[in-house]
Amino acid sequence: MKSYAAVALLWLTSSSLTAAFAPPVKKNGALPTRSEATLLHAAVKEKIMGAKTAGLLLNHRFVTDSLSEVAPGMSETERLRFALQFGERREAARAARKAAGPGRAIVESAAEAVAKATEGGGWDNAPVYAAAPHADVINRYITPKSVLTMSTDEGDLIYVIRASAIDDKALMDRASVDQVVDYFLYAKEVHSIVANRRSERTGRLSNVIFANDISGVRKAPDRRFSKALTSSSDQYENLYPALAGPTMILNLPFVLQAFVGLLKPLFPKSVQERLVFTRAPVLAGLKELTPLSNNMNTKAKFVREVKGLLPK
């Protein structure tokens, strides 16, 4: 196997790139508990991406309303997501209670940043980017060249990350694991706020599509960066249930494309159902990601590309 393909495989099988967006699995080989089984299979039970919120609320009204007792600060859409993800009232209430506690500083910072970003009626990403935890250090390495979020016309978010454009070793030499964890949790909180507001405004449940670009990967992920992303992912579906849409692994080396059937089982079961391995020529043709945000023609082409690659 060529060295490029071997390194790309290492990125896929490590906890770094994939775990940044994937829900956790048991690390000791034990069978999942009832609560974990509910979490892992929730996405399979019901197609929620693009669904009408009115219909979802009708089907999950009892659990959604009951959660207001344990999480009075949550909006109806937030409570609906817990009902969708966990199903049973007891499990949903337990998760909502835990999610309502920690990370208050990150939640408040993200809400304030989103308010500033939308003051003019559109979206100004500058206040959101500047307000990220430890931005003075981490923003030197996590830039729009490597990571950005964009929208579909339907209202879903596309979170694009190009691993090869992140100097993860240099980043982790300057920032601690906990600082990077906070940074990525902040990004997910911003996504959650935006997706929930869009869901409430349009009546259509908004989700986050993850587009992981493997092109250009030449070295193995930094161990500390991997640990930080694993830590943030371990909290993802407990804090932001029913928010994740399809996970796309894009532009694998040709030699690995024949082994997609063997790679898929490496992912958590809840991700496998919405996992896509494919080529994305528009994305692969970009030297960096910034044209996706400042070139309307390139952005439109990539959004069309992503929508055409989504699971039917």
Side-chain angles (χ1 to χ4, degrees):
M1 182 181 294
K2 294 181 179 179
S3 59
Y4 174 24
V7 170
L9 179 60
L10 185 55
W11 267 95
L12 285 172
T13 55
S14 77
S15 56
S16 186
L17 179 63
T18 56
F21 315 114
V25 290
K26 298 291 280 185
K27 296 179 176 62
N28 58 6
L31 292 174
T33 65
R34 182 180 181 185
S35 174
E36 291 161 341
T38 302
L39 175 96
L40 290 173
H41 296 291
V44 183
K45 291 179 180 178
E46 184 174 6
K47 178 177 172 56
I48 62 172
M49 185 171 174
K52 298 295 184 181
T53 53
L56 294 173
L57 282 167
L58 183 65
N59 294 336
H60 299 274
R61 174 57 68 186
F62 173 72
V63 176
T64 301
D65 287 350
S66 69
L67 295 181
S68 61
E69 300 174 10
V70 299
M74 285 188 180
S75 68
E76 184 177 63
T77 302
E78 288 178 286
R79 289 184 276 114
L80 172 61
R81 291 189 189 274
F82 278 89
L84 290 169
Q85 185 71 58
F86 295 95
E88 297 180 1
R89 180 183 180 278
R90 182 179 301 177
E91 305 297 347
R94 183 181 302 159
R97 188 179 295 110
K98 289 182 179 180
R104 181 53 49 189
I106 291 176
V107 171
E108 293 176 353
S109 178
E112 183 178 346
V114 171
K116 291 180 179 178
T118 54
E119 278 180 350
W123 180 267
D124 178 9
N125 199 57
V128 173
Y129 191 52
H134 320 292
D136 57 327
V137 173
I138 299 177
N139 280 356
R140 300 178 186 181
Y141 305 96
I142 305 294
T143 75
K145 293 181 179 181
S146 57
V147 180
L148 58 79
T149 303
M150 51 201 306
S151 301
T152 67
D153 292 338
E154 293 77 10
D156 293 310
L157 299 175
I158 307 175
Y159 191 26
V160 191
I161 180 169
R162 175 172 282 178
S164 62
I166 301 174
D167 189 345
D168 52 337
K169 183 182 184 305
L171 166 61
M172 299 313 299
D173 285 343
R174 295 289 307 278
S176 70
V177 169
D178 287 342
Q179 288 175 330
V180 176
V181 168
D182 287 347
Y183 188 94
F184 279 102
L185 286 177
Y186 168 85
K188 292 165 185 175
E189 179 65 26
V190 171
H191 288 165
S192 177
I193 293 171
V194 173
N196 287 335
R197 288 185 180 180
R198 288 183 178 179
S199 300
E200 293 160 4
R201 186 178 69 251
T202 65
R204 174 191 179 277
L205 195 68
S206 177
N207 291 94
V208 181
I209 301 165
F210 299 108
N212 305 314
D213 184 21
I214 306 298
S215 61
V217 170
R218 292 289 190 274
K219 61 184 179 65
D222 183 89
R223 171 182 53 82
R224 298 160 297 173
F225 190 59
S226 176
K227 182 178 179 181
L229 293 180
T230 298
S231 180
S232 67
S233 75
D234 283 348
Q235 305 174 59
Y236 184 74
E237 293 219 8
N238 284 323
L239 294 176
Y240 308 106
L243 181 61
T247 295
M248 312 181 79
I249 308 299
L250 303 173
N251 301 318
L252 277 175
F254 178 77
V255 70
L256 282 183
Q257 292 176 23
F259 298 96
V260 165
L262 299 176
L263 293 173
K264 195 170 183 179
L266 298 174
F267 290 78
K269 290 183 179 179
S270 60
V271 175
Q272 290 181 29
E273 293 296 325
R274 55 179 189 266
L275 187 62
V276 177
F277 288 90
T278 190
R279 294 282 300 167
V282 174
L283 185 60
L286 299 177
K287 294 183 178 180
E288 58 182 57
L289 299 184
T290 46
L292 296 178
S293 61
N294 59 27
N295 185 307
M296 296 303 295
N297 185 49
T298 303
K299 176 183 177 181
K301 287 181 178 180
F302 176 65
V303 170
R304 285 198 301 269
E305 182 172 70
V306 168
K307 290 167 64 175
L309 297 173
L310 291 175
K312 303 303 181 183

